[in-house]
Amino acid sequence: MADLVTDVLNMPDVARIGFTFGTIAVGTVGFAAVKAGLLGNQIKVEVEKKRGKGHAVYRYTADTFFFGFDSAGGNADLQALVVHEAVHAGFDVAATAMLVKESEALAYIAQCLFFYYVNEAALSGGTSVPAFRDPILKAAWPVSQTALKQPALTVTDLEPVFAAISVHPTYKDRYGQNVPYDGLKPAP
């Protein structure tokens, strides 16, 4: 099942993602570390259809991706979701502790950047904007467009994404809590 993630992370559009927030970097180094963790059996992938096709999560406590789908091939939305979760896995590999709102904001921005690169021909003029239903994706989209021009993002840049995360039912009770990404455990 590791190929569900590695196939997406090997896409040329993923290699184009690169931005920073303070000392935290999102890009090729983190994605390469995730691929290495998958290939070394330190990171697992499980499919749980009960999650639903559009759902995924990376659990740092288990070093495991959980997907509600078994293939993302040809579906840019699912591929972008894999990228989102791979950002969290990259933070885990690097044992980079941060707040939930930071981890999620950076993952959503990477998700939007991937979606932009996959659809660049249609979106590069700036007149088309994806019709995201998720309010966090809506807030992350303009920030991702800032990252295209100026990849060193600031707290001010991320404030709209933080605001969307703070009221989202999935995150509102924990958005200011620490995520103690703890690195990968040795392979069994």
Side-chain angles (χ1 to χ4, degrees):
M1 288 307 317
D3 59 343
L4 172 59
V5 178
T6 57
D7 287 353
V8 173
L9 295 183
N10 285 331
M11 293 176 69
D13 294 314
V14 173
R16 298 175 69 190
I17 297 169
F19 63 94
T20 61
F21 174 64
T23 60
I24 303 166
V26 175
T28 56
V29 171
F31 295 135
V34 172
K35 288 190 289 188
L38 287 160
L39 296 173
N41 293 317
Q42 291 176 283
I43 298 176
K44 305 288 185 246
V45 176
E46 292 189 20
V47 174
E48 295 177 332
K49 298 275 185 166
K50 67 182 179 192
R51 289 186 177 277
K53 187 168 182 168
H55 295 282
V57 67
Y58 176 80
R59 296 268 184 245
Y60 71 89
T61 54
D63 299 330
T64 303
F65 288 96
F66 296 94
F67 294 107
F69 49 92
D70 56 11
S71 173
N75 185 320
D77 291 332
L78 294 180
Q79 292 166 340
L81 186 54
V82 171
V83 169
H84 176 117
E85 296 306 330
V87 170
H88 295 309
F91 296 153
D92 186 28
V93 172
T96 306
M98 63 184 68
L99 299 177
V100 168
K101 69 179 184 179
E102 295 166 335
S103 177
E104 290 302 334
L106 299 177
Y108 275 99
I109 292 164
Q111 183 175 356
C112 286
L113 281 170
F114 175 81
F115 192 82
Y116 172 81
Y117 288 132
V118 167
N119 298 289
E120 188 169 13
L123 298 171
S124 64
T127 55
S128 293
V129 176
F132 295 123
R133 290 188 313 222
D134 184 312
I136 302 173
L137 283 171
K138 285 181 182 179
W141 179 258
V143 180
S144 73
Q145 299 309 285
T146 298
L148 289 171
K149 300 172 194 76
Q150 200 275 68
L153 299 175
T154 66
V155 170
T156 302
D157 294 325
L158 270 59
E159 283 300 335
V161 188
F162 291 161
I165 292 167
S166 74
V167 296
H168 193 280
T170 303
Y171 308 109
K172 69 180 182 178
D173 294 335
R174 58 188 178 93
Y175 92 107
Q177 293 177 359
N178 191 43
V179 182
Y181 290 116
D182 57 1
L184 301 180
K185 288 92 180 151

